[in-house]
mmCIF file of all heavy atoms in Angstrom:
data_model
loop_
_atom_site.group_PDB
_atom_site.id
_atom_site.type_symbol
_atom_site.label_atom_id
_atom_site.label_comp_id
_atom_site.label_asym_id
_atom_site.label_seq_id
_atom_site.Cartn_x
_atom_site.Cartn_y
_atom_site.Cartn_z
ATOM 1 N N LEU A 72 -11.426 -0.021 4.946
ATOM 2 C CA LEU A 72 -11.976 0.787 6.033
ATOM 3 C C LEU A 72 -12.736 -0.081 7.031
ATOM 4 O O LEU A 72 -12.703 0.171 8.240
ATOM 5 C CB LEU A 72 -12.886 1.884 5.477
ATOM 6 C CG LEU A 72 -12.190 2.997 4.680
ATOM 7 C CD1 LEU A 72 -13.200 4.024 4.200
ATOM 8 C CD2 LEU A 72 -11.113 3.672 5.520
ATOM 9 N N ASN A 104 -18.968 3.343 14.959
ATOM 10 C CA ASN A 104 -17.605 2.824 14.883
ATOM 11 C C ASN A 104 -16.711 3.325 16.007
ATOM 12 O O ASN A 104 -15.547 2.987 16.043
ATOM 13 C CB ASN A 104 -16.982 3.228 13.552
ATOM 14 C CG ASN A 104 -17.006 4.735 13.359
ATOM 15 O OD1 ASN A 104 -16.180 5.438 13.906
ATOM 16 N ND2 ASN A 104 -17.977 5.236 12.601
ATOM 17 N N LEU A 119 -4.539 -2.870 33.890
ATOM 18 C CA LEU A 119 -4.654 -2.908 32.433
ATOM 19 C C LEU A 119 -3.282 -2.868 31.767
ATOM 20 O O LEU A 119 -3.036 -3.566 30.775
ATOM 21 C CB LEU A 119 -5.511 -1.730 31.962
ATOM 22 C CG LEU A 119 -5.962 -1.754 30.507
ATOM 23 C CD1 LEU A 119 -6.796 -2.988 30.217
ATOM 24 C CD2 LEU A 119 -6.757 -0.497 30.182
ATOM 25 N N ALA A 130 2.456 -11.122 18.239
ATOM 26 C CA ALA A 130 1.684 -10.171 17.446
ATOM 27 C C ALA A 130 0.591 -9.526 18.288
ATOM 28 O O ALA A 130 0.225 -8.373 18.068
ATOM 29 C CB ALA A 130 1.075 -10.878 16.231
ATOM 30 N N ASP A 420 -10.184 25.408 6.112
ATOM 31 C CA ASP A 420 -11.000 24.876 7.197
ATOM 32 C C ASP A 420 -11.406 23.425 6.968
ATOM 33 O O ASP A 420 -12.015 22.816 7.854
ATOM 34 C CB ASP A 420 -12.264 25.726 7.377
ATOM 35 C CG ASP A 420 -11.943 27.105 7.943
ATOM 36 O OD1 ASP A 420 -10.844 27.254 8.510
ATOM 37 O OD2 ASP A 420 -12.781 28.006 7.817
ATOM 38 N N ALA A 495 -6.935 -18.399 25.408
ATOM 39 C CA ALA A 495 -6.719 -18.600 26.843
ATOM 40 C C ALA A 495 -5.233 -18.640 27.127
ATOM 41 O O ALA A 495 -4.495 -19.403 26.500
ATOM 42 C CB ALA A 495 -7.389 -19.892 27.323
ATOM 43 N N HIS A 556 27.045 -9.519 43.884
ATOM 44 C CA HIS A 556 28.353 -9.029 44.334
ATOM 45 C C HIS A 556 29.477 -9.907 43.820
ATOM 46 O O HIS A 556 30.620 -9.438 43.695
ATOM 47 C CB HIS A 556 28.372 -8.947 45.862
ATOM 48 C CG HIS A 556 27.497 -7.852 46.410
ATOM 49 N ND1 HIS A 556 27.948 -6.572 46.646
ATOM 50 C CD2 HIS A 556 26.175 -7.843 46.718
ATOM 51 C CE1 HIS A 556 26.959 -5.833 47.107
ATOM 52 N NE2 HIS A 556 25.864 -6.571 47.155
ATOM 53 N N THR A 595 20.554 -9.025 30.456
ATOM 54 C CA THR A 595 21.074 -7.689 30.731
ATOM 55 C C THR A 595 22.321 -7.463 29.886
ATOM 56 O O THR A 595 23.318 -8.171 30.048
ATOM 57 C CB THR A 595 21.426 -7.542 32.224
ATOM 58 O OG1 THR A 595 20.263 -7.837 33.010
ATOM 59 C CG2 THR A 595 21.890 -6.130 32.515
#
Side-chain angles (χ1 to χ4, degrees):
L72 292 181
N104 57 79
L119 191 60
D420 290 341
H556 290 269
T595 304

